[in-house]
Amino acid sequence: MLRSFIGRKKARPFGQDNIAFESTLFTLSTDVPRPMERRVDERVMPMLRVAKVTPKDGGEVLVRVRNLSAGGLMAELSQNLEVGTEVSVEINSQNIPSTVVWTRDGCAGFKFEQNIDLGEMLAGRKPRHGHRPRPPRLRVDCKANLKVGSTYYSVGVKDISLGGIKVEPVDDYCLGEKVVIVVESLKPIKGEVRWYSDRKAGIVFDKPLEFGELAEWIGKRLEMASLKASVKRPTPPKG
């Protein structure tokens, strides 16, 4: 059964459930995947599974999973992480406590705290809690302009993924409407309001964002946040 999954070559675009898992290499062991001398073909890069890594000390990092085993994974990083960093890896709607065990040339190896059910991950089954897998969402706090028909809203962004975004406040008539949203430093994005609740709305993009585009945007926001934090940090008294 596992052989049939590994042999499958059909690619799926970002934004769909079970994102192109056939292009991420699955290693049938409990070892953490090690660096490979051959880099991933650029044509394959857009089809790699995307995951979110959240360090314990804060921040969020998007990664492309190049190799996944029951005991860990190897991924392309959008920001640097130090060896020994404790993180949570969100993949296939599961949050897995992990530790960075090696880094090399923009890649890192993550060791899972406990082995995962690789067969279930390969099959792309729904998690036991009943959620459908979805692209990992990144929590952000910024402003955006939302155009619904001839009406413009100034909204706050709550989270964003390659496939969609959550904003507030909007009105209930927006549900099901085609929209254009302009987020700080991102190009205008067309989409549709798929859900509404308590003046919050979930927008699904017509065309998913590129991994590099979102990763670079998140990286710049993290840099800005770090700079602001260092400016606000009080100077220790002398002596």
Side-chain angles (χ1 to χ4, degrees), residues 50-52 60-62 90 134-144 156-167 181-189 201-205 207-210 213-215 217-219 221:
V50 175
K52 179 176 74 174
E60 295 175 327
V61 180
L62 275 181
E90 181 184 326
R134 60 184 176 182
R137 296 176 298 161
L138 297 163
R139 292 187 299 274
V140 294
D141 184 12
C142 68
K143 297 296 183 181
V157 178
K158 297 304 173 185
D159 61 53
I160 188 170
S161 73
L162 293 171
I165 193 169
K166 182 167 70 176
V167 300
I181 186 165
V182 181
V183 186
E184 296 173 4
S185 303
L186 282 176
K187 64 185 179 183
I189 311 167
I203 299 168
V204 174
F205 301 146
K207 181 181 179 182
L209 297 175
E210 296 289 338
E213 180 181 18
L214 184 57
W217 184 76
I218 290 294
R221 293 194 65 83

Side-chain angles (χ1 to χ4, degrees), residues 48-222:
L48 294 180
R49 181 189 289 263
V50 175
K52 179 176 74 174
V53 173
T54 306
K56 278 193 172 182
D57 59 359
E60 295 175 327
V61 180
L62 275 181
V63 302
R64 280 193 178 109
V65 181
R66 285 170 51 172
N67 194 329
L68 177 67
S69 74
L73 63 84
M74 176 177 65
E76 295 266 0
L77 298 178
S78 56
Q79 285 97 46
N80 292 329
L81 290 174
E82 298 293 332
V83 172
T85 302
E86 295 183 356
V87 302
S88 175
V89 176
E90 181 184 326
I91 186 169
N92 213 35
S93 299
Q94 300 179 50
N95 285 291
I96 309 169
S98 311
T99 303
V100 179
V101 292
W102 62 261
T103 61
R104 174 180 169 184
D105 297 333
C107 290
F110 298 85
K111 179 176 177 57
F112 300 150
E113 188 175 283
Q114 294 184 337
N115 293 341
I116 64 171
D117 186 336
L118 190 59
E120 186 170 296
M121 188 76 75
L122 276 165
R125 298 172 186 165
K126 296 179 184 179
R128 295 185 178 89
H129 298 301
H131 290 313
R132 291 181 64 80
R134 60 184 176 182
R137 296 176 298 161
L138 297 163
R139 292 187 299 274
V140 294
D141 184 12
C142 68
K143 297 296 183 181
N145 292 316
L146 180 67
K147 183 177 183 291
V148 187
S150 59
T151 303
Y152 289 83
Y153 288 88
S154 178
V155 297
V157 178
K158 297 304 173 185
D159 61 53
I160 188 170
S161 73
L162 293 171
I165 193 169
K166 182 167 70 176
V167 300
E168 69 171 351
V170 295
D171 296 318
D172 57 359
Y173 84 90
C174 296
L175 183 62
E177 294 292 323
K178 288 289 186 178
V179 301
V180 178
I181 186 165
V182 181
V183 186
E184 296 173 4
S185 303
L186 282 176
K187 64 185 179 183
I189 311 167
K190 295 181 180 180
E192 180 181 330
V193 179
R194 291 289 181 85
W195 63 262
Y196 173 88
S197 177
D198 193 25
R199 305 212 71 195
K200 296 182 178 68
I203 299 168
V204 174
F205 301 146
D206 290 348
K207 181 181 179 182
L209 297 175
E210 296 289 338
F211 172 89
E213 180 181 18
L214 184 57
E216 182 180 359
W217 184 76
I218 290 294
K220 287 180 179 178
R221 293 194 65 83
L222 288 173

